[in-house]
Amino acid sequence: MGLALANHLEDSNERVNSMIAMQKRLLESLPPQVNHQKRSIAEVTESNVAHLLFQLTSSPTPISPAKKRSKRVSSKRSLVWTHFDTGLRGQDPIATCKYCGQVYACDRSTHGTSTLWHHLRFLCPQEPLKGQELQRKNPRTPKLSYSIEECRQALADMVIIDEMPFRTVEGEGFKRYSKVLQPRFDPPSKVTVARDCMQRYVEEKPKLKKIMKNQRICLTTDTWTSKQNLFYMSLTAHWIDDEWKLQKRILNFCSVADHKEETLGKRVEKCLLDWGIDRLFTVTVDNASSNDKLIEYLKGVSKDWKGVVLKNRFLHVRCCAHIVNLVVKSGLEEHNSSIDKIRTTVRFVRSSLARLKLFKKCAELEKIPSKSLLTLDLETRWNATYLMLERAEKFEKAFARLAKDYRPFKAYFPNKEPPNADDWIVARHMLCFLKLFEKVTTRLSASLHVTSSIVFHDIMLMRAKLVELVGGEDTTLSSMAYFMKLKFEKYWEQEGNLNYLLFIVVILDPRHKLNYLKFCLEMLYGLDVGN
């Protein structure tokens, strides 16, 4: 080794001497005007060469392996560092637990993160990761494991959440899509999926029963008849949870033998006992006569339950949105030729695709910016008439052009003329009148927030509007308002038809309290009854 070092030094001296000679020849070749700089350049060159010679001839300083590895700098990619604070203890890096203060060595050249993960999962007194899987990589990294049970459970959840028919899983397109996602999973039959959905119901039912335990429950029930003359009933529960949030769950949806009060009452009673509900607060139903007897049946069977309020005296709540529907329909039943003409006009346009294209062309020529489509009203929904008038009145000029350019349009009215300017004026007046009731219906039909605090105010608002129009100069609106006021009085101005719990809501509102309620009751029932 000494001989090799001597040879190395000899070669280094020869290279340094050749460099010095080259520098001297370069200085001699410089012109005379820079002769005064030769000395300084030579001095710098000799000093640099001397320093180079010293580095070549001096022995190398030994470097320990530990210090050499410590110079490596890498970023903290593991999620474990979100739970530890890093620092130095002397020359050694350390990691301190944010929860208990335990200190571990964390030199990343000699230590990994397994000890830190083990501490978080098993040793830390606060157990921040107890029961969780070890996450050493990015949490977005998907699992590579395959479980047929998890796939079937996810498939059942998809069918339930998206309200898909069971036969969807047997479609060819769904099978191809499933094979792309997971080639090893064979979609089950619709019978198996239905069985899995039922199993999910069995698993979730005890959890929901535990959540509803000791909660004050408000029920809503409704019945209807299908096209096949089959009778159905639904039962929905509403309550305010411990975090003051409105909760809604469908407890039952089943077929019944008939719509008689005893049949419905027994089915509701059975459902309540099955779910363990005894703290019943109110039951909201529509205004069918059978529902009145249903409430009487429920009052009788539940009056001794420990959770009832005042022996179920205020159990019955009439559906306010249904009453508004009945009130407005009673006014629309009054024959109105203007509405009949507009309805016939809309029916003509919607009767064929060719007529609809022709109507759109007329709207473009009249430069009508509205893109809404015409709709026909329904007998069971009064606000459908409102929507029909609201959309049709925007196309008044398009209808006029259609009547002028298209002869079959006038022939569609055998006994009357198409709507004229006066008919559209009447329609706009009715829209202004019905706008209030449409807003009230929308507010009272909400299902994501509590509406009991606005019911009484909307009732008083509708009453004031009807009283104003009954004595108005417009004979058409006055006649409608008169019949609507009669229906309004039947349900809300007769003593006892309005649930007194709605009065409690007004009293508890700090903006109104008892004085406002007293004023409104005097308007509804008079001074003697209102006080």
Side-chain angles (χ1 to χ4, degrees):
M1 183 175 178
L3 181 61
L5 180 61
N7 294 332
H8 174 70
L9 293 177
E10 185 177 356
D11 294 338
S12 300
N13 290 331
E14 291 180 358
R15 288 196 299 270
V16 171
N17 293 331
S18 62
M19 291 175 61
I20 294 174
M22 185 182 300
Q23 292 289 340
K24 289 182 178 181
R25 288 195 297 271
L26 179 64
L27 292 176
E28 291 175 356
S29 63
L30 291 176
Q33 57 269 26
V34 294
N35 190 33
H36 62 280
Q37 298 180 359
K38 291 182 180 180
R39 179 174 297 179
S40 60
I41 296 176
E43 292 175 356
V44 172
T45 302
E46 291 179 359
S47 63
N48 291 339
V49 172
H51 179 69
L52 179 61
L53 181 61
F54 173 78
Q55 289 183 345
L56 293 174
T57 56
S58 61
S59 61
T61 303
I63 301 176
S64 63
K67 290 185 178 181
K68 184 181 296 184
R69 287 194 297 266
S70 63
K71 292 182 180 180
R72 186 187 65 181
V73 178
S74 60
S75 60
K76 299 177 181 179
R77 297 181 180 180
S78 176
L79 294 177
V80 76
W81 299 112
T82 60
H83 305 279
F84 285 87
D85 294 326
T86 57
L88 292 175
R89 185 168 56 185
Q91 298 293 330
D92 301 325
I94 59 173
T96 306
C97 179
K98 294 182 178 180
Y99 307 103
C100 64
Q102 179 66 34
V103 178
Y104 292 94
C106 67
D107 188 350
R108 281 171 286 169
S109 62
T110 57
H111 298 81
T113 58
S114 299
T115 304
L116 305 182
W117 283 115
H118 182 77
H119 170 79
L120 294 174
R121 298 181 64 195
F122 305 107
L123 303 181
C124 184
Q126 298 189 20
E127 299 178 341
L129 300 183
K130 182 179 180 180
Q132 297 186 17
E133 295 183 359
L134 192 61
Q135 297 181 359
R136 300 188 180 184
K137 295 183 179 181
N138 194 312
R140 293 175 295 180
T141 303
K143 292 183 177 180
L144 299 179
S145 60
Y146 166 71
S147 172
I148 186 172
E149 290 79 11
E150 293 182 1
C151 291
R152 286 180 55 178
Q153 180 177 341
L155 181 59
D157 292 344
M158 181 191 71
V159 172
I160 295 172
I161 295 173
D162 295 338
E163 299 179 359
M164 301 171 60
F166 296 133
R167 65 175 181 271
T168 302
V169 299
E170 296 183 348
E172 185 63 28
F174 179 81
K175 291 181 179 179
R176 292 184 181 181
Y177 178 70
S178 178
K179 284 297 182 182
V180 173
L181 293 180
Q182 180 51 261
R184 291 181 289 177
F185 178 66
D186 293 325
S189 65
K190 59 183 180 182
V191 178
T192 304
V193 173
R195 192 184 304 116
D196 293 342
C197 292
M198 191 63 190
Q199 182 62 31
R200 290 289 290 161
Y201 168 77
V202 174
E203 295 173 356
E204 294 296 329
K205 185 176 181 179
K207 300 178 183 178
L208 183 56
K209 290 177 67 175
K210 184 178 180 180
I211 293 175
M212 292 194 300
K213 188 177 181 180
N214 298 327
Q215 298 288 352
R216 187 72 67 181
I217 304 297
C218 297
L219 294 179
T220 302
T221 182
D222 197 7
T223 57
W224 63 93
T225 305
S226 67
K227 294 181 179 180
Q228 296 81 15
N229 290 327
L230 299 176
F231 305 102
Y232 293 94
M233 185 194 74
S234 66
L235 190 66
T236 307
H238 301 80
W239 73 94
I240 304 295
D241 62 12
D242 296 335
E243 298 180 357
W244 291 92
K245 294 182 180 180
L246 177 64
Q247 300 292 336
K248 171 187 174 183
R249 298 292 187 276
I250 298 177
L251 301 182
N252 195 12
F253 178 85
C254 59
S255 60
V256 292
D258 50 57
H259 288 175
K260 295 181 180 180
E261 63 278 1
E262 185 177 358
T263 303
L264 300 179
K266 290 182 178 180
R267 183 54 65 95
V268 173
E269 178 188 9
K270 180 181 178 182
C271 183
L272 294 179
L273 295 176
D274 184 33
W275 285 93
I277 297 175
D278 56 359
R279 297 170 61 86
L280 193 59
F281 192 40
T282 61
V283 179
T284 303
V285 292
D286 58 22
N287 296 277
S289 58
S290 60
N291 287 329
D292 295 339
K293 298 180 181 180
L294 167 64
I295 297 297
E296 294 299 326
Y297 179 88
L298 292 178
K299 285 182 178 180
V301 299
S302 63
K303 63 181 180 180
D304 296 328
W305 294 358
K306 63 179 182 180
V308 299
V309 178
L310 297 176
K311 299 297 182 180
N312 284 330
R313 181 182 175 185
F314 306 114
L315 183 67
H316 189 191
V317 176
R318 300 179 184 274
C319 180
C320 296
H322 185 247
I323 295 177
V324 174
N325 185 35
L326 296 177
V327 169
V328 180
K329 284 179 64 177
S330 64
L332 294 176
E333 287 175 356
E334 182 72 11
H335 180 72
N336 190 299
S337 59
S338 298
I339 295 181
D340 292 340
K341 290 181 181 180
I342 295 175
R343 182 182 294 111
T344 305
T345 302
V346 174
R347 186 180 294 112
F348 171 82
V349 173
R350 290 175 53 89
S351 60
S352 70
L353 184 60
R355 292 176 179 177
L356 182 60
K357 290 183 178 180
L358 182 61
F359 175 76
K360 290 181 178 180
K361 185 64 176 179
C362 294
E364 292 177 1
L365 294 176
E366 293 294 339
K367 298 181 180 180
I368 299 176
S370 179
K371 300 296 183 182
S372 59
L373 299 178
L374 300 176
T375 58
L376 276 174
D377 54 350
L378 303 173
E379 294 182 359
T380 57
R381 294 179 56 194
W382 77 265
N383 51 348
T385 303
Y386 171 82
L387 294 176
M388 179 189 69
L389 296 176
E390 182 187 34
R391 295 186 178 184
E393 66 90 14
K394 301 176 183 178
F395 296 97
E396 177 185 356
K397 295 181 179 180
F399 284 119
R401 176 179 285 271
L402 186 65
K404 181 172 57 177
D405 298 344
Y406 193 61
R407 290 185 179 181
F409 180 69
K410 289 186 177 181
Y412 200 75
F413 298 83
N415 300 325
K416 51 190 174 182
E417 293 292 328
N420 52 32
D422 295 335
D423 295 324
W424 291 109
I425 293 175
V426 172
R428 290 188 177 92
H429 287 173
M430 293 190 64
L431 281 174
C432 295
F433 168 56
L434 296 176
K435 181 67 175 179
L436 169 64
F437 297 91
E438 196 274 336
K439 288 183 177 180
V440 170
T441 301
T442 303
R443 285 199 297 265
L444 297 183
S445 301
S447 59
L448 299 180
H449 60 270
V450 179
T451 57
S452 58
S453 58
I454 62 175
V455 171
F456 188 75
H457 307 294
D458 286 342
I459 291 174
M460 298 306 302
L461 186 63
M462 289 186 292
R463 181 188 181 278
K465 188 67 173 180
L466 292 175
V467 171
E468 175 188 351
L469 292 175
V470 166
E473 299 179 355
D474 192 327
T475 56
T476 302
L477 296 182
S478 177
S479 176
M480 287 183 57
Y482 173 76
F483 291 102
M484 293 171 65
K485 191 173 184 300
L486 291 179
K487 185 70 70 171
F488 182 92
E489 293 173 352
K490 174 183 177 181
Y491 289 106
W492 281 329
E493 288 195 17
Q494 291 183 8
E495 184 183 3
N497 284 345
L498 195 60
N499 194 305
Y500 292 166
L501 291 178
L502 297 178
F503 302 157
I504 305 300
V505 176
V506 179
I507 295 175
L508 295 178
D509 192 335
R511 299 171 297 178
H512 304 101
K513 295 191 175 182
L514 193 58
N515 291 333
Y516 173 76
L517 177 63
K518 181 180 178 181
F519 170 75
C520 294
L521 293 180
E522 290 178 355
M523 292 179 60
L524 277 176
Y525 305 117
L527 294 176
D528 297 333
V529 180
N531 287 326

